[in-house]
Amino acid sequence: MEIQLASKSPRRRELLGQIGVRYRTVDVDVPEEHEAGESPETYVSRLALSKARAGAHQSTDGQVFYGPTLGADTIVVCGDEILEKPQNFDDFKSMMSVLSGGLHRVVTAVALCQDGRELLDYSATQVRFRDISEEEVFKYWQTEEPRDKAGGYAIQGLGAVFVIEIIGSYSGVVGLPIETLSPMLAEFSIPVWNS
C-alpha cells in the first residue's frame, strides 16, 4: 500500500520515508492566496485539501493512481500576520524583524483524499526565536535556504540556530506533522514502518 504525495517538498518526502510510508509524487498547481477574513487555520486547511483533491485527479507517468492522495501546506503566523515564502531580501528582512526575539506559530494542515472520501486536520506549534542581528539576517539570506520556506527559515536546517523554544510538533514545523498524519493514514489502511 502506498500514497500519492501532492507536494514538491523534499522535507515532506523525507518525513514520509522516516516513518516508513511508501509513496509516489505528483506535481499540483494550486494558487496560494489568502482570502479576506480567512483564519490562518482555515487558509492552510483549504490549501492542503485543494492540493490533495488536485493530486487525486492526476496520474504519475501516465499511470492512474487509485490510492489516497496527501496534500499539505505550512504557514508561519506572528500575531495576525501570515508569513509565507519571502518574495525577496526586503521581504525576508521584514519577516526576520517580526520573528526576532519573539514567539510565533507554525500551522501545517494535512489532507487525505480517495474516491470522494476526505480527511483533514492540522497542527499548530509555537516557536520562540532568540534575537537575530542584521548581520545574521544578511548571512542567512546568502545561504539561499530561506528563499522557499514559509516564514523564511528551516528549523531542520541552518535556521535552527535561531530557535530557543518549541511547544508542539517539530515535524509540523518542518512541514508534515507525522503525529497528526499517522492516525489519518491508519483510517485509509496505509501502514507506517513499512520497510
Side-chain angles (χ1 to χ4, degrees), residues 118-136:
E118 298 177 339
L119 291 180
L120 175 67
D121 205 351
Y122 71 87
S123 146
T125 301
Q126 293 185 315
V127 180
R128 187 180 302 279
F129 272 14
R130 64 167 170 79
D131 292 333
I132 305 170
S133 71
E134 287 187 17
E135 181 182 8
E136 286 176 312

Side-chain angles (χ1 to χ4, degrees), residues 9 11-12 15 74 106 108 155-156 169-176:
S9 167
R11 292 156 298 283
R12 292 191 178 114
L15 287 164
T74 302
V106 180
T108 298
I155 195 170
Q156 76 283 3
S169 170
Y170 173 81
S171 61
V173 180
V174 175
L176 192 66

Side-chain angles (χ1 to χ4, degrees), residues 13-194:
R13 294 174 191 172
E14 289 166 6
L15 287 164
L16 286 174
Q18 177 183 328
I19 60 171
V21 173
R22 293 182 181 164
Y23 66 92
R24 61 175 63 191
T25 59
V26 63
D27 288 341
V28 295
D29 186 20
V30 173
E32 298 185 3
E33 297 175 5
H34 183 250
E35 295 177 359
E38 198 172 33
S39 73
E41 292 78 12
T42 301
Y43 172 45
V44 77
S45 296
R46 175 176 58 81
L47 291 181
L49 189 56
S50 296
K51 290 175 182 181
R53 286 173 175 166
H57 295 100
Q58 293 188 27
S59 61
T60 303
D61 300 326
Q63 296 181 357
V64 177
F65 182 74
Y66 295 100
T69 297
L70 170 63
D73 198 77
T74 302
I75 57 171
V76 172
V77 184
C78 195
D80 295 328
E81 189 175 358
I82 294 173
L83 307 176
E84 297 188 76
K85 298 172 185 176
Q87 300 299 309
N88 50 46
F89 176 68
D90 287 339
D91 191 24
F92 169 70
K93 186 177 177 181
S94 174
M95 285 183 185
M96 289 297 105
S97 70
V98 168
L99 298 175
S100 178
L103 193 67
H104 61 273
R105 285 186 303 137
V106 180
V107 184
T108 298
V110 290
L112 280 170
C113 296
Q114 182 183 22
D115 299 330
R117 182 179 178 205
E118 298 177 339
L119 291 180
L120 175 67
D121 205 351
Y122 71 87
S123 146
T125 301
Q126 293 185 315
V127 180
R128 187 180 302 279
F129 272 14
R130 64 167 170 79
D131 292 333
I132 305 170
S133 71
E134 287 187 17
E135 181 182 8
E136 286 176 312
V137 170
F138 178 75
K139 285 183 175 178
Y140 186 40
W141 179 256
Q142 293 305 308
T143 69
E144 299 191 3
E145 181 178 89
R147 298 175 195 223
D148 67 339
K149 308 294 188 297
Y153 76 95
I155 195 170
Q156 76 283 3
L158 303 172
V161 301
F162 304 133
V163 178
I164 58 173
E165 183 181 17
I166 177 170
I167 305 166
S169 170
Y170 173 81
S171 61
V173 180
V174 175
L176 192 66
I178 55 179
E179 72 289 335
T180 301
L181 176 63
S182 58
M184 295 170 66
L185 292 170
E187 289 285 320
F188 280 89
S189 301
I190 299 296
V192 296
W193 306 331
N194 195 7

